[in-house]
Coordinates of all heavy atoms in Angstrom, one line a residue:
Chain B
P1465 N 8.2 18.1 13.1 CA 8.3 17.9 11.6 C 9.4 16.9 11.3 O 10.4 16.9 12.0 CB 8.5 19.2 11.0 CG 8.9 20.1 12.1 CD 8.4 19.5 13.4
D1466 N 9.3 16.2 10.2 CA 10.4 15.3 9.7 C 11.5 16.2 9.2 O 11.4 17.4 9.0 CB 9.9 14.5 8.5 CG 8.8 13.6 9.0 OD1 8.7 13.3 10.2 OD2 8.0 13.2 8.1
K1467 N 12.6 15.5 9.0 CA 13.8 16.2 8.4 C 13.4 16.7 7.0 O 12.7 16.0 6.3 CB 15.0 15.3 8.4 CG 15.8 15.3 9.6 CD 17.3 15.0 9.4 CE 17.4 13.5 8.9 NZ 18.7 13.0 8.9
P1468 N 13.9 17.8 6.6 CA 13.6 18.3 5.2 C 14.2 17.3 4.2 O 15.2 16.7 4.4 CB 14.3 19.6 5.1 CG 14.9 19.9 6.4 CD 14.8 18.7 7.3
R1469 N 13.5 17.2 3.1 CA 14.0 16.4 2.0 C 13.9 17.2 0.7 O 13.2 18.1 0.6 CB 13.3 15.1 1.9 CG 11.8 15.1 2.1 CD 11.2 13.8 1.9 NE 11.4 13.4 0.5 CZ 10.7 12.5 -0.2 NH1 9.7 12.0 0.5 NH2 10.9 12.2 -1.4
T1470 N 14.8 16.8 -0.2 CA 14.9 17.5 -1.5 C 14.0 16.9 -2.5 O 14.0 15.7 -2.7 CB 16.3 17.6 -2.0 OG1 17.1 18.0 -0.9 CG2 16.5 18.5 -3.2
I1471 N 13.2 17.7 -3.3 CA 12.4 17.2 -4.4 C 12.6 18.1 -5.6 O 13.0 19.2 -5.4 CB 10.9 17.1 -4.0 CG1 10.4 18.5 -3.5 CG2 10.6 16.0 -3.1 CD1 9.0 18.6 -3.7
S1472 N 12.4 17.5 -6.8 CA 12.5 18.3 -8.0 C 11.3 19.2 -8.2 O 10.2 18.9 -7.7 CB 12.7 17.4 -9.2 OG 11.5 16.7 -9.4
L1473 N 11.5 20.3 -9.0 CA 10.3 21.1 -9.3 C 9.2 20.4 -10.0 O 8.1 20.7 -9.8 CB 10.8 22.3 -10.1 CG 11.4 23.5 -9.4 CD1 11.7 24.6 -10.3 CD2 10.4 24.0 -8.3
S1474 N 9.6 19.5 -10.9 CA 8.6 18.8 -11.7 C 7.8 17.8 -10.8 O 6.6 17.7 -10.9 CB 9.2 18.1 -12.9 OG 10.1 17.1 -12.5
Q1475 N 8.5 17.2 -9.8 CA 7.8 16.4 -8.8 C 6.8 17.2 -8.0 O 5.7 16.8 -7.8 CB 8.9 15.7 -7.9 CG 8.3 15.0 -6.7 CD 7.5 13.7 -7.2 OE1 8.2 12.7 -7.5 NE2 6.2 13.7 -7.2
L1476 N 7.3 18.4 -7.6 CA 6.5 19.3 -6.8 C 5.2 19.7 -7.6 O 4.1 19.7 -7.1 CB 7.3 20.6 -6.4 CG 6.5 21.6 -5.6 CD1 6.1 21.0 -4.3 CD2 7.3 22.9 -5.4
D1477 N 5.4 20.0 -8.9 CA 4.3 20.4 -9.8 C 3.3 19.3 -9.8 O 2.1 19.6 -9.8 CB 4.9 20.7 -11.2 CG 4.3 22.1 -11.7 OD1 3.6 22.7 -10.9 OD2 4.6 22.4 -12.8
E1478 N 3.7 18.1 -9.9 CA 2.8 17.0 -10.0 C 2.0 16.9 -8.6 O 0.8 16.7 -8.6 CB 3.6 15.7 -10.2 CG 2.9 14.6 -11.0 CD 3.8 13.5 -11.3 OE1 4.7 13.8 -12.3 OE2 3.8 12.5 -10.7
W1479 N 2.7 17.0 -7.5 CA 2.0 17.0 -6.2 C 1.1 18.1 -6.1 O 0.1 18.0 -5.4 CB 3.1 17.0 -5.1 CG 3.8 15.7 -4.9 CD1 3.5 14.5 -5.4 CD2 5.0 15.5 -4.1 NE1 4.4 13.6 -5.0 CE2 5.3 14.1 -4.2 CE3 5.8 16.3 -3.3 CZ2 6.4 13.6 -3.5 CZ3 6.8 15.8 -2.6 CH2 7.2 14.4 -2.8
L1480 N 1.4 19.3 -6.7 CA 0.6 20.5 -6.5 C -0.8 20.3 -7.1 O -1.7 21.1 -6.8 CB 1.3 21.7 -7.1 CG 2.4 22.2 -6.2 CD1 3.1 23.4 -6.9 CD2 2.0 22.6 -4.8
T1481 N -1.0 19.3 -8.0 CA -2.4 19.1 -8.5 C -3.3 18.8 -7.3 O -4.5 19.0 -7.4 CB -2.4 17.9 -9.5 OG1 -2.0 16.8 -8.9 CG2 -1.6 18.3 -10.7
L1482 N -2.8 18.3 -6.2 CA -3.6 18.0 -5.0 C -4.2 19.2 -4.4 O -5.2 19.1 -3.7 CB -2.7 17.3 -4.0 CG -2.3 15.8 -4.2 CD1 -1.3 15.4 -3.2 CD2 -3.6 14.9 -4.1
V1483 N -3.6 20.4 -4.7 CA -4.1 21.6 -4.1 C -4.5 22.6 -5.1 O -4.6 23.8 -4.9 CB -3.0 22.3 -3.1 CG1 -2.6 21.3 -2.0 CG2 -1.7 22.6 -3.9
K1484 N -4.7 22.1 -6.4 CA -5.0 23.0 -7.5 C -4.0 24.1 -7.6 O -4.4 25.3 -7.8 CB -6.4 23.5 -7.4 CG -7.5 22.5 -7.3 CD -8.9 23.1 -7.3 CE -9.9 22.0 -7.1 NZ -11.2 22.5 -7.0
G1485 N -2.7 23.7 -7.5 CA -1.7 24.7 -7.6 C -0.7 24.4 -8.7 O -0.7 23.4 -9.3
E1486 N 0.1 25.5 -9.0 CA 1.0 25.4 -10.2 C 2.2 26.2 -9.8 O 2.1 27.3 -9.3 CB 0.3 25.9 -11.4 CG 0.9 25.4 -12.7 CD 0.3 26.1 -13.9 OE1 -0.9 26.5 -13.8 OE2 0.9 26.3 -14.9
V1487 N 3.4 25.7 -10.1 CA 4.7 26.5 -9.8 C 4.7 27.6 -10.9 O 4.6 27.3 -12.1 CB 5.9 25.6 -9.9 CG1 7.2 26.4 -9.8 CG2 5.9 24.5 -8.8
K1488 N 4.8 28.8 -10.4 CA 4.9 29.9 -11.4 C 6.2 30.6 -11.5 O 6.5 31.4 -12.3 CB 3.8 31.0 -11.0 CG 2.4 30.6 -11.4 CD 2.2 30.7 -12.9 CE 0.8 30.2 -13.3 NZ 0.6 30.2 -14.8
G1489 N 7.1 30.1 -10.5 CA 8.5 30.7 -10.6 C 9.3 30.2 -9.4 O 8.8 29.9 -8.4
Y1490 N 10.6 30.1 -9.6 CA 11.5 29.7 -8.6 C 12.8 30.5 -8.7 O 13.4 30.5 -9.8 CB 11.8 28.2 -8.7 CG 12.8 27.7 -7.7 CD1 12.5 27.8 -6.3 CD2 14.0 27.2 -8.1 CE1 13.4 27.3 -5.4 CE2 14.9 26.8 -7.2 CZ 14.7 26.9 -5.8 OH 15.6 26.5 -4.9
Q1491 N 13.2 31.1 -7.6 CA 14.5 31.8 -7.6 C 15.5 31.0 -6.8 O 15.4 30.9 -5.6 CB 14.3 33.2 -7.0 CG 13.7 34.2 -8.0 CD 13.9 35.6 -7.5 OE1 13.7 35.9 -6.3 NE2 14.4 36.5 -8.4
A1492 N 16.5 30.5 -7.6 CA 17.4 29.6 -6.9 C 18.2 30.3 -5.8 O 18.5 29.8 -4.8 CB 18.4 29.0 -8.0
E1493 N 18.6 31.6 -6.1 CA 19.4 32.3 -5.1 C 18.7 32.5 -3.7 O 19.3 32.2 -2.7 CB 19.8 33.8 -5.6 CG 20.2 33.9 -7.0 CD 19.0 34.2 -7.9 OE1 18.5 35.3 -7.9 OE2 18.6 33.2 -8.6
T1494 N 17.4 32.8 -3.8 CA 16.8 33.1 -2.5 C 16.0 31.8 -2.0 O 15.5 31.8 -0.9 CB 15.8 34.2 -2.6 OG1 14.9 33.9 -3.7 CG2 16.5 35.5 -2.9
G1495 N 15.8 30.9 -2.9 CA 15.0 29.7 -2.6 C 13.5 30.0 -2.6 O 12.7 29.2 -2.1
E1496 N 13.2 31.2 -3.2 CA 11.8 31.6 -3.1 C 11.0 30.9 -4.2 O 11.4 30.9 -5.4 CB 11.7 33.1 -3.3 CG 10.4 33.7 -2.9 CD 10.3 35.2 -3.0 OE1 10.7 35.8 -2.0 OE2 10.0 35.7 -4.0
L1497 N 9.9 30.4 -3.8 CA 9.0 29.7 -4.8 C 7.7 30.4 -4.9 O 7.1 30.9 -4.0 CB 8.7 28.3 -4.1 CG 8.2 27.2 -5.0 CD1 9.1 26.8 -6.1 CD2 8.0 26.0 -4.1
R1498 N 7.3 30.6 -6.2 CA 6.0 31.3 -6.4 C 5.0 30.2 -6.9 O 5.2 29.6 -7.9 CB 6.1 32.4 -7.4 CG 6.7 33.7 -6.8 CD 6.7 34.8 -7.8 NE 5.4 35.2 -8.2 CZ 5.0 35.1 -9.5 NH1 5.8 34.8 -10.4 NH2 3.8 35.4 -9.8
I1499 N 3.9 30.1 -6.2 CA 2.9 29.1 -6.5 C 1.6 29.8 -6.7 O 1.1 30.6 -6.0 CB 2.7 28.0 -5.4 CG1 4.0 27.2 -5.3 CG2 1.6 27.1 -5.6 CD1 4.0 26.2 -4.2
E1500 N 0.9 29.4 -7.9 CA -0.4 30.0 -8.1 C -1.5 29.0 -7.7 O -1.4 27.8 -8.1 CB -0.6 30.3 -9.6 CG -1.9 31.0 -9.9 CD -2.0 31.2 -11.4 OE1 -1.5 32.3 -11.9 OE2 -2.6 30.4 -12.1
L1501 N -2.4 29.4 -6.9 CA -3.5 28.5 -6.4 C -4.8 29.0 -6.9 O -5.1 30.2 -7.1 CB -3.6 28.6 -4.8 CG -2.3 28.1 -4.1 CD1 -2.3 28.6 -2.7 CD2 -2.2 26.6 -4.2
Q1502 N -5.6 28.0 -7.3 CA -6.9 28.4 -7.9 C -8.1 28.4 -7.0 O -9.0 29.1 -7.2 CB -7.2 27.3 -9.0 CG -6.4 27.4 -10.2 CD -7.1 26.8 -11.4 OE1 -8.3 26.5 -11.4 NE2 -6.4 26.7 -12.5
D1503 N -8.0 27.5 -5.9 CA -9.2 27.3 -5.2 C -9.4 28.4 -4.2 O -8.7 28.6 -3.2 CB -9.2 26.0 -4.5 CG -10.5 25.5 -4.0 OD1 -11.4 26.3 -3.8 OD2 -10.7 24.3 -4.0
S1504 N -10.5 29.2 -4.4 CA -10.7 30.4 -3.5 C -11.5 29.9 -2.3 O -11.8 30.7 -1.4 CB -11.4 31.5 -4.2 OG -12.5 31.0 -4.9
N1505 N -11.9 28.7 -2.2 CA -12.6 28.2 -1.0 C -11.8 27.4 0.0 O -12.3 26.8 0.9 CB -13.8 27.3 -1.5 CG -15.1 28.0 -1.7 OD1 -15.2 29.2 -1.3 ND2 -16.0 27.4 -2.4
R1506 N -10.5 27.4 -0.2 CA -9.6 26.6 0.7 C -8.5 27.5 1.3 O -7.4 27.4 0.9 CB -9.0 25.5 -0.1 CG -9.8 24.3 -0.5 CD -10.1 23.3 0.6 NE -8.9 22.8 1.3 CZ -8.3 21.7 1.0 NH1 -8.7 20.9 0.0 NH2 -7.2 21.3 1.6
P1507 N -8.9 28.4 2.2 CA -7.9 29.3 2.8 C -6.8 28.6 3.5 O -5.7 29.1 3.7 CB -8.7 30.2 3.8 CG -10.0 29.5 4.0 CD -10.2 28.7 2.8
D1508 N -7.0 27.3 3.9 CA -6.0 26.6 4.6 C -4.8 26.3 3.6 O -3.7 26.0 4.1 CB -6.5 25.2 5.1 CG -7.0 24.3 4.0 OD1 -7.9 24.8 3.2 OD2 -6.5 23.2 3.8
L1509 N -5.0 26.4 2.3 CA -3.9 26.1 1.4 C -3.2 27.4 1.0 O -2.2 27.3 0.2 CB -4.5 25.5 0.1 CG -5.2 24.2 0.3 CD1 -5.8 23.7 -1.0 CD2 -4.2 23.1 0.8
W1510 N -3.5 28.6 1.5 CA -2.9 29.8 1.1 C -1.6 30.0 1.9 O -1.2 31.2 2.1 CB -3.8 31.0 1.3 CG -5.1 30.9 0.6 CD1 -5.4 30.0 -0.4 CD2 -6.3 31.7 0.8 NE1 -6.7 30.2 -0.8 CE2 -7.2 31.2 -0.1 CE3 -6.6 32.7 1.7 CZ2 -8.5 31.8 -0.2 CZ3 -7.8 33.3 1.6 CH2 -8.8 32.8 0.7
C1511 N -0.9 29.0 2.3 CA 0.4 29.1 3.0 C 1.2 27.8 2.8 O 0.6 26.8 2.4 CB 0.1 29.3 4.5 SG -1.0 28.1 5.2
C1512 N 2.5 27.9 3.0 CA 3.3 26.7 2.7 C 2.9 25.6 3.7 O 3.0 24.4 3.3 CB 4.8 27.1 2.8 SG 5.4 27.5 4.4
E1513 N 2.6 25.9 4.9 CA 2.2 24.8 5.8 C 1.0 24.0 5.3 O 1.1 22.7 5.4 CB 1.8 25.3 7.2 CG 3.0 26.0 8.0 CD 3.1 27.5 7.7 OE1 2.5 28.0 6.7 OE2 3.6 28.2 8.5
G1514 N 0.0 24.7 4.8 CA -1.2 24.0 4.3 C -0.9 23.2 3.1 O -1.4 22.0 2.9
I1515 N -0.1 23.7 2.2 CA 0.2 23.0 0.9 C 1.0 21.7 1.3 O 0.7 20.6 0.9 CB 1.0 23.9 0.0 CG1 0.1 25.0 -0.5 CG2 1.6 23.1 -1.2 CD1 0.9 26.1 -1.3
A1516 N 2.0 21.9 2.2 CA 2.9 20.8 2.6 C 2.0 19.7 3.3 O 2.2 18.5 3.1 CB 4.0 21.3 3.6
R1517 N 1.0 20.2 4.1 CA 0.2 19.3 4.9 C -0.6 18.4 3.9 O -0.7 17.2 4.1 CB -0.7 20.0 5.8 CG -1.6 19.2 6.7 CD -2.6 20.0 7.5 NE -1.9 21.1 8.2 CZ -2.3 22.4 8.0 NH1 -3.3 22.8 7.3 NH2 -1.6 23.3 8.7
Q1518 N -1.2 19.0 2.9 CA -2.0 18.2 2.0 C -1.2 17.2 1.2 O -1.7 16.0 1.0 CB -2.7 19.2 1.0 CG -3.8 18.6 0.1 CD -5.0 18.3 0.9 OE1 -5.8 19.2 1.3 NE2 -5.3 17.0 1.1
I1519 N 0.0 17.6 0.9 CA 0.9 16.6 0.2 C 1.3 15.5 1.2 O 1.3 14.3 0.8 CB 2.1 17.3 -0.4 CG1 1.7 18.3 -1.5 CG2 3.2 16.3 -0.9 CD1 2.8 19.3 -2.0
R1520 N 1.7 15.9 2.4 CA 2.1 14.9 3.4 C 1.1 13.9 3.7 O 1.3 12.7 3.8 CB 2.6 15.7 4.7 CG 3.4 14.8 5.6 CD 3.9 15.6 6.8 NE 2.8 16.2 7.6 CZ 2.6 17.5 7.7 NH1 3.4 18.4 7.2 NH2 1.6 18.0 8.5
I1521 N -0.2 14.3 3.9 CA -1.2 13.4 4.2 C -1.4 12.4 3.1 O -1.5 11.2 3.3 CB -2.6 14.2 4.4 CG1 -2.5 15.0 5.6 CG2 -3.7 13.2 4.5 CD1 -3.6 16.0 5.8
K1522 N -1.3 12.9 1.8 CA -1.4 11.9 0.7 C -0.3 10.9 0.8 O -0.5 9.7 0.5 CB -1.3 12.8 -0.6 CG -1.4 11.9 -1.9 CD -2.8 11.5 -2.1 CE -2.9 10.2 -2.9 NZ -4.3 9.6 -2.8
R1523 N 0.9 11.4 1.1 CA 2.1 10.4 1.1 C 2.0 9.5 2.3 O 2.4 8.3 2.2 CB 3.4 11.2 1.0 CG 3.5 12.1 -0.2 CD 4.8 12.6 -0.5 NE 5.9 11.6 -0.4 CZ 6.1 10.7 -1.3 NH1 5.4 10.7 -2.4 NH2 7.1 9.8 -1.2
E1524 N 1.5 10.0 3.4 CA 1.4 9.1 4.6 C 0.1 8.2 4.5 O 0.0 7.3 5.3 CB 1.4 9.9 5.8 CG 2.8 10.5 6.1 CD 2.9 11.5 7.3 OE1 1.8 11.8 7.8 OE2 4.0 11.9 7.6
G1525 N -0.8 8.6 3.7 CA -2.0 7.8 3.5 C -3.2 8.2 4.5 O -4.3 7.8 4.3
I1526 N -2.8 8.9 5.5 CA -3.9 9.2 6.5 C -3.5 10.5 7.3 O -2.4 10.9 7.4 CB -4.1 8.1 7.5 CG1 -5.3 8.2 8.3 CG2 -2.8 8.0 8.5 CD1 -6.1 7.0 8.6
F1527 N -4.6 11.2 7.7 CA -4.4 12.4 8.5 C -4.5 12.1 10.0 O -5.5 11.5 10.5 CB -5.5 13.4 8.1 CG -5.7 14.6 9.1 CD1 -4.7 15.5 9.3 CD2 -6.9 14.7 9.8 CE1 -4.8 16.5 10.2 CE2 -7.1 15.8 10.7 CZ -6.0 16.7 10.9
K1528 N -3.4 12.4 10.8 CA -3.4 12.1 12.2 C -4.0 13.3 12.9 O -3.5 14.4 12.8 CB -2.0 11.9 12.7 CG -1.3 10.6 12.1 CD 0.2 10.6 12.5 CE 0.9 9.7 11.5 NZ 2.2 10.3 11.1
P1529 N -5.1 13.1 13.6 CA -5.9 14.2 14.2 C -4.9 14.9 15.2 O -4.1 14.4 15.8 CB -7.0 13.5 15.0 CG -7.1 12.2 14.4 CD -5.8 11.8 13.8
Y1530 N -5.1 16.2 15.3 CA -4.3 17.1 16.2 C -4.8 16.8 17.6 O -6.0 16.8 17.9 CB -4.5 18.6 15.8 CG -3.9 19.0 14.5 CD1 -4.6 19.3 13.4 CD2 -2.5 19.0 14.5 CE1 -4.0 19.6 12.2 CE2 -1.8 19.4 13.3 CZ -2.6 19.7 12.2 OH -2.0 20.1 11.0
P1531 N -3.8 16.6 18.5 CA -4.2 16.3 19.9 C -4.9 17.4 20.6 O -5.8 17.2 21.4 CB -2.8 16.1 20.6 CG -1.8 16.6 19.6 CD -2.4 16.6 18.3
F1532 N -4.7 18.7 20.1 CA -5.3 19.8 20.8 C -6.9 19.8 20.7 O -7.6 20.5 21.4 CB -4.7 21.2 20.5 CG -4.8 21.5 19.0 CD1 -5.9 22.0 18.4 CD2 -3.7 21.3 18.2 CE1 -6.0 22.3 17.1 CE2 -3.7 21.6 16.8 CZ -4.9 22.2 16.3
L1533 N -7.4 19.0 19.7 CA -8.8 19.0 19.6 C -9.5 17.9 20.4 O -10.6 17.9 20.7 CB -9.1 18.8 18.1 CG -8.8 19.9 17.2 CD1 -8.9 19.6 15.7 CD2 -9.7 21.1 17.5
S1534 N -8.6 16.8 20.7 CA -9.2 15.7 21.5 C -8.9 15.8 22.9 O -9.7 15.5 23.8 CB -8.8 14.4 20.9 OG -7.4 14.5 20.6
Q1535 N -7.6 16.3 23.3 CA -7.3 16.3 24.7 C -7.5 17.7 25.2 O -6.6 18.6 25.0 CB -5.8 15.9 24.8 CG -5.5 14.5 24.3 CD -4.1 14.3 24.0 OE1 -3.2 15.0 24.4 NE2 -3.8 13.2 23.2
R1536 N -8.6 18.0 25.8 CA -9.0 19.3 26.2 C -8.5 19.5 27.7 O -8.7 18.6 28.5 CB -10.5 19.5 26.2 CG -11.0 19.4 24.8 CD -10.4 20.5 23.9 NE -11.4 20.9 22.9 CZ -11.2 21.9 22.1 NH1 -10.1 22.6 22.1 NH2 -12.1 22.2 21.2
P1537 N -7.9 20.6 28.0 CA -7.5 20.9 29.4 C -8.8 21.0 30.3 O -9.8 21.5 29.8 CB -6.8 22.2 29.4 CG -7.2 22.8 28.1 CD -7.6 21.7 27.1
R1538 N -8.7 20.6 31.5 CA -9.9 20.6 32.4 C -10.3 22.1 32.7 O -11.4 22.5 32.7 CB -9.7 19.8 33.7 CG -11.0 19.4 34.3 CD -10.8 18.4 35.4 NE -10.0 17.2 34.9 CZ -9.4 16.4 35.8 NH1 -9.4 16.7 37.1 NH2 -8.7 15.4 35.3
R1539 N -9.3 22.9 32.9 CA -9.6 24.3 33.2 C -8.8 25.2 32.3 O -7.7 25.7 32.6 CB -9.2 24.6 34.7 CG -9.9 23.7 35.6 CD -9.8 24.2 37.1 NE -10.3 25.5 37.2 CZ -10.1 26.2 38.3 NH1 -9.5 25.7 39.4 NH2 -10.6 27.4 38.4
P1540 N -9.3 25.4 31.1 CA -8.6 26.2 30.1 C -8.5 27.7 30.5 O -9.3 28.2 31.3 CB -9.4 26.0 28.8 CG -10.8 25.7 29.3 CD -10.6 25.0 30.6
K1541 N -7.5 28.4 29.9 CA -7.4 29.8 30.1 C -8.7 30.4 29.5 O -9.3 29.9 28.6 CB -6.2 30.3 29.3 CG -4.9 29.9 29.8 CD -3.8 30.6 29.1 CE -2.5 30.6 29.8 NZ -1.9 29.2 30.1
R1542 N -9.1 31.6 30.1 CA -10.4 32.2 29.7 C -10.2 33.5 29.0 O -9.3 34.3 29.2 CB -11.2 32.3 31.0 CG -11.7 31.0 31.5 CD -12.6 31.2 32.8 NE -11.8 32.0 33.7 CZ -12.5 32.9 34.6 NH1 -13.8 33.0 34.5 NH2 -11.8 33.6 35.4
L1543 N -11.2 33.7 28.1 CA -11.4 35.0 27.5 C -12.8 35.5 27.6 O -13.7 34.7 27.3 CB -11.0 34.9 26.0 CG -10.8 36.2 25.2 CD1 -10.0 35.9 23.9 CD2 -12.1 36.9 24.8
L1544 N -13.0 36.6 28.3 CA -14.4 37.1 28.6 C -14.8 38.1 27.6 O -14.1 39.1 27.3 CB -14.4 37.7 30.0 CG -13.7 36.8 31.1 CD1 -13.6 37.5 32.4 CD2 -14.4 35.4 31.2

Side-chain angles (χ1 to χ4, degrees):
Chain B
D1466 297 337
K1467 271 206 296 191
R1469 39 176 298 203
T1470 307
I1471 52 159
S1472 69
L1473 274 183
S1474 61
Q1475 173 69 74
L1476 180 64
D1477 228 2
E1478 212 169 286
W1479 285 348
L1480 285 178
T1481 58
L1482 287 168
V1483 298
K1484 299 184 185 175
E1486 201 184 333
V1487 175
K1488 282 286 174 183
Y1490 175 65
Q1491 279 197 313
E1493 314 91 74
T1494 57
E1496 194 177 274
L1497 195 60
R1498 282 185 58 239
I1499 293 178
E1500 187 182 271
L1501 295 165
Q1502 287 205 11
D1503 199 331
S1504 54
N1505 269 346
R1506 288 280 308 267
D1508 62 300
L1509 296 176
W1510 302 346
C1511 51
C1512 66
E1513 293 91 339
I1515 294 170
R1517 183 185 309 127
Q1518 191 71 69
I1519 295 170
R1520 192 174 60 242
I1521 294 169
K1522 180 74 205 166
R1523 300 193 48 77
E1524 290 174 352
I1526 194 142
F1527 165 63
K1528 295 173 202 135
Y1530 289 109
F1532 59 82
L1533 292 170
S1534 45
Q1535 299 158 20
R1536 298 298 213 175
R1538 203 168 305 158
R1539 305 191 56 189
K1541 292 187 162 61
R1542 288 180 307 147
L1543 193 159
L1544 312 174

